Amino acid sequence: MIQSSPAKVRATGSHRAGRSLAWLAFLLLGGVAAVAAPFAAGVSPVLEVLPWVLLPGASAVAVVIGMRRRRARSWLWRLVCIGLLITLMASAVGWGIGWVWLGSPFLLTAYQLSTLAAYALSLTALALLNLRAADSRWAGLLDAGIITVGVAMPLWAFFIDPIVDRVPGIGPDLGFALALPVIDLFIVGLVVRMALDHGRAPWLRLLSASYVAMFFSDIVYLLNQASDQLYTAVSTAFWLGWSVLVGAAMLHPTLAFARRKRPAAGRVRGTLLLALALISPLVSVLGQTLMHTGTAPYNGVVVTALTVLLAVLLVLRLTTVARVAETQAADLCTALHQQEILQRSLSHRASHDPLTGLGNRTLLGEALHAAITSHADTAHTPALLLLDLDAFKDVNDTYGHPVGDELLTVVARRLRDLTADGQVLARLSGDEFALLLPDAGIAEALSTAERVLAAVRAPYVFDGRELYVTGSVGVLAETAVANATDALRDADLALYAAKAAGKNRIVVFDHALRAERLHHAEIAAGLRQALARDEFAMAYQPVVDLTSGAIYAVEALLRWTPTGGRPVPPDVFVPVAEDTGLIVEIGRWALERACADARRWHERYGIAVTVNVSGRQLRERTFRDTVLEVLVRSQLPRNALTLEITESMLLATSPAETQRIIDVLADLRTHGVRIALDDFGTGYSSLSYLRTLPVDILKIDRSFTAPLTNTDHRQARAFTRAIVELAASLDLSTVVEGVESREQAGVLQQMGCPLAQGYLFSPPASAPQIDDLLHVTPWQQAA
């Protein structure tokens, strides 16, 4: 970034300060020159002419500078400035050079005509500015007219009327002298009207003072033309003062052509107009009485006409005020109506889902509260259905969120078709819907739930593709609840049970679900403290080579015994740890402990350790790095670690997430870590996973082991032999789980199965017990 030097900054600041004080210097020097000009007239012709040339010329330059500096883009302001320039140049050339210096009557006439034209131009531009800037279209002109007439009445009575009475005829010079104050009155009225609205601006005060000075100059000039007494010095001072004030106004730093109305302008303007309306006629009548001595027919007519005109202007102004009030009232009514519409819209948005147009959780809560309250004294209770779409995340991940949103709108439309009068349908979250049946029993609730699932199962067609979605429904019916929160909680428990039971089904709430949920919460609370309290332990079950009887590897199994309590089975606490996400931290601890224990077993006996990994751990972005870091810290060779996964954890993820997990496992495999697929043969797509998963070991589920020695064992042995032969053809190792008898082990040995584990060889044991077992073969010990 380029920085300005201190000298340049100081120079810029000095330049700005000079510009801000230029108007004051111009005003002081010009004011002194304007006051001194009449006294220099008798000294020499040059000194008499110079003020008429220099001061208007300098003011003309100031007007141009002010326009350019403030960028006066409005053509109305340009007209005002052009009028000022013409007047200034006309006085400099026509009066100063032409008449005073050269004594040319022709240039004086040109001066008079150009001055009248410039006055008219300025008057027109100021009138249009007031027309544009006022609150009402004609309010500015009416206010200016009232001010003009209010000032004109005493002016006529005290000055103009006596002059006209004394002069026998009106020639061109007197006509010019009379025309100037008349135009001045209108100009002053317009400028004062603007100053009332924007009077805090110093430049506008200077401009108003300039026109007042011009008005007094023209009044004195009129007196000079109509009387023997000459007031040329006063007229000259005021005229030159006008040009100086104009230049100072245009140089003032507050000069701005935008409309900036001050808050109290209306009150000041109203007070001034009221004062003019009341005082001006009285003063005019008094002046007419004191000053008038003629008998011309128009003597009283002018004051009367001006009084009538003032009254008409006041009436018109009141009419505009009334119209403005009516317009404001209409605008207020419109604004109130729009506000009402907006409030209704906001209220609707606050209680409805923007995507589907259904009610949201707030609306459902209000409807539930009303239904529960209305049935408080009866045996009837409202029924509540909660629907959750199964695997909706797969739709978003596979086809994108626009398709997912369209699917939700179609589901909402189908559910709306099933909703009867008096029932409330709402969307609670992403893919969760609720249906309130205020007076339904269990039979009607279940019938409605079946129709809901049937509607959800119907195919969806998007862009020529057919999608199929199922749903799970939790039903709360004929169960007393205290409030809407309890109703939603119990229905949600039933929905959770439906999804845990395999999805695409209906579960009705009973109190056992609440007890299970409470037990779930207690386990979750205990798990959160288990690591800190050192309540976890690792047990290991040997994997035996059926040919040699030696221990080939050990499988690490997590155990939890709460402090002061009884051991909690893994099939109880592991699902809770999965749901709460605590399995990530617990699984990391288990991996570190298993690798630390396995280091000495691998160094002495060359055996490996197998660690179970949950789907939640695999979905962690840092899982790969965590495994490699643990191996480095424990100094366990990578080929001594086997990660055991299940087929079901892959089925619970989207295709994109499944592919990412496969990539992570493949990467770990390239680093030497082995992968085992547990519970093989129990899933729906085991063979397809063998084509894509980076697997080294197949673990045959214990459900194939028990039937091997039954009377009807042919089918079980055929399946087991087929799996063993398939694994051998794919260069995969096979481990059979659940071997509990020597007969089962013999059958497996005859089939060529290399590895097995089970209670025949050893139950899960602690690390010291494994040390003891490694001194003898488990097979020999079992024998």
Side-chain angles (χ1 to χ4, degrees), residues 682-744:
T682 60
Y684 295 99
S685 54
S686 298
L687 293 179
S688 65
Y689 278 122
L690 286 181
R691 293 189 295 108
T692 57
L693 277 175
V695 176
D696 300 287
I697 302 170
L698 292 183
K699 302 192 73 173
I700 300 176
D701 188 69
R702 65 181 65 250
S703 60
F704 290 91
T705 306
L708 291 176
T709 55
N710 292 346
T711 303
D712 187 14
H713 58 263
R714 295 179 57 186
Q715 187 179 31
R717 292 187 180 185
F719 275 117
T720 304
R721 182 180 292 107
I723 295 174
V724 172
E725 293 176 355
L726 174 65
S729 65
L730 296 175
D731 292 330
L732 302 177
S733 299
T734 306
V735 178
V736 179
E737 298 179 304
V739 178
E740 298 181 356
S741 67
R742 292 182 58 83
E743 185 179 2
Q744 293 172 345

Side-chain angles (χ1 to χ4, degrees), residues 109-159:
T109 303
Y111 156 73
Q112 293 175 346
L113 294 177
S114 61
T115 301
L116 290 175
Y119 274 38
L121 187 63
S122 298
L123 177 63
T124 303
L126 289 171
L128 292 176
L129 276 174
N130 276 270
L131 194 64
R132 172 182 293 183
D135 298 330
S136 177
R137 181 169 178 81
W138 298 102
L141 292 183
L142 290 173
D143 290 345
I146 293 172
I147 295 171
T148 300
V149 174
V151 176
M153 292 175 67
L155 181 67
W156 169 265
F158 286 96
F159 294 99

Side-chain angles (χ1 to χ4, degrees), residues 381-393:
T381 56
L384 179 62
L385 278 61
L386 293 187
L387 165 70
D388 188 86
L389 302 182
D390 299 329
F392 176 72
K393 185 176 182 294

Side-chain angles (χ1 to χ4, degrees), residues 400-421:
H401 287 275
V403 174
D405 290 344
E406 190 173 355
L407 175 63
L408 291 174
T409 58
V410 175
V411 170
R413 192 182 312 125
R414 294 179 180 180
L415 295 178
R416 194 182 284 112
D417 293 338
L418 299 176
T419 305
D421 292 339

Side-chain angles (χ1 to χ4, degrees), residues 216-548:
F216 279 111
S217 174
D218 291 338
I219 288 293
V220 175
Y221 178 73
L222 175 61
L223 291 175
N224 290 339
Q225 296 296 321
S227 64
D228 296 333
Q229 296 180 350
L230 296 180
Y231 304 96
T232 305
V234 177
S235 176
T236 300
F238 274 113
W239 180 264
L240 295 178
W242 164 73
S243 64
V244 171
L245 287 169
V246 166
M250 299 301 289
L251 290 176
H252 201 280
T254 62
L255 175 67
F257 298 102
R259 181 178 180 226
R260 296 178 182 175
K261 187 174 181 179
R262 56 175 179 165
R267 294 193 298 270
V268 176
R269 183 175 63 247
T271 303
L272 176 62
L273 296 180
L274 180 62
L276 288 174
L278 295 177
I279 299 174
S280 182
L282 296 177
V283 173
S284 301
V285 172
L286 179 61
Q288 188 78 15
T289 303
L290 296 176
M291 303 295 296
H292 177 62
T293 58
T295 59
Y298 57 80
N299 289 334
V301 174
V302 174
V303 174
T304 303
L306 291 176
T307 304
V308 172
L309 179 60
L310 181 61
V312 171
L313 292 174
L314 288 171
V315 171
L316 292 176
R317 187 62 177 93
L318 291 176
T319 303
T320 60
V321 171
R323 289 178 180 175
V324 170
E326 291 176 359
T327 303
Q328 291 177 346
D331 292 342
L332 179 60
C333 292
T334 303
L336 291 176
H337 180 64
Q338 292 176 346
Q339 183 180 8
E340 183 180 357
I341 294 175
L342 179 60
Q343 287 177 343
R344 277 198 238 114
S345 175
L346 292 176
S347 177
H348 184 272
R349 291 182 182 182
S351 60
H352 287 77
D353 172 50
L355 177 63
T356 63
L358 302 179
N360 59 13
R361 185 178 293 272
T362 300
L363 181 65
L364 178 67
E366 295 173 355
L368 263 173
H369 176 74
I372 294 171
T373 303
S374 62
H375 294 97
D377 299 329
T378 65
H380 297 285
T381 56
L384 179 62
L385 278 61
L386 293 187
L387 165 70
D388 188 86
L389 302 182
D390 299 329
F392 176 72
K393 185 176 182 294
D394 293 347
V395 176
N396 282 333
D397 292 342
T398 304
Y399 302 104
H401 287 275
V403 174
D405 290 344
E406 190 173 355
L407 175 63
L408 291 174
T409 58
V410 175
V411 170
R413 192 182 312 125
R414 294 179 180 180
L415 295 178
R416 194 182 284 112
D417 293 338
L418 299 176
T419 305
D421 292 339
Q423 300 176 352
V424 178
L425 178 64
R427 179 187 175 211
L428 302 186
S429 61
D431 60 334
E432 186 176 0
F433 298 85
L435 180 59
L436 174 63
L437 314 175
D439 298 304
I442 185 66
E444 183 181 351
L446 288 174
S447 175
T448 303
E450 292 287 354
R451 294 200 304 273
V452 166
L453 287 188
V456 171
R457 291 191 196 105
Y460 303 84
V461 180
F462 300 119
D463 297 331
R465 296 188 299 255
E466 272 196 358
L467 301 181
Y468 292 88
V469 177
T470 60
S472 303
V473 177
V475 177
L476 175 69
E478 296 184 356
T479 301
V481 288
N483 50 53
T485 302
D486 291 348
L488 284 169
R489 178 202 61 197
D490 292 345
D492 192 60
L493 289 175
L495 175 61
Y496 178 83
K499 297 186 78 68
K503 304 178 181 180
N504 191 26
R505 64 189 65 216
I506 301 169
V507 171
V508 180
F509 170 80
D510 60 38
H511 292 283
L513 294 176
R514 194 180 296 169
E516 291 176 5
R517 194 62 180 175
L518 179 61
H519 183 53
H520 181 284
E522 292 173 350
I523 292 176
L527 287 174
R528 296 183 190 280
Q529 304 294 329
L531 280 176
R533 296 173 179 174
D534 196 22
E535 295 174 350
F536 288 113
M538 296 302 296
Y540 303 92
Q541 188 172 37
V543 178
V544 175
D545 187 333
L546 290 178
T547 301
S548 64

Side-chain angles (χ1 to χ4, degrees), residues 524 527-528 531 576-587 616:
L527 287 174
R528 296 183 190 280
L531 280 176
V576 177
E578 286 269 6
D579 290 342
T580 58
L582 296 172
I583 194 64
V584 175
E585 186 179 1
I586 295 172
R616 191 69 173 263

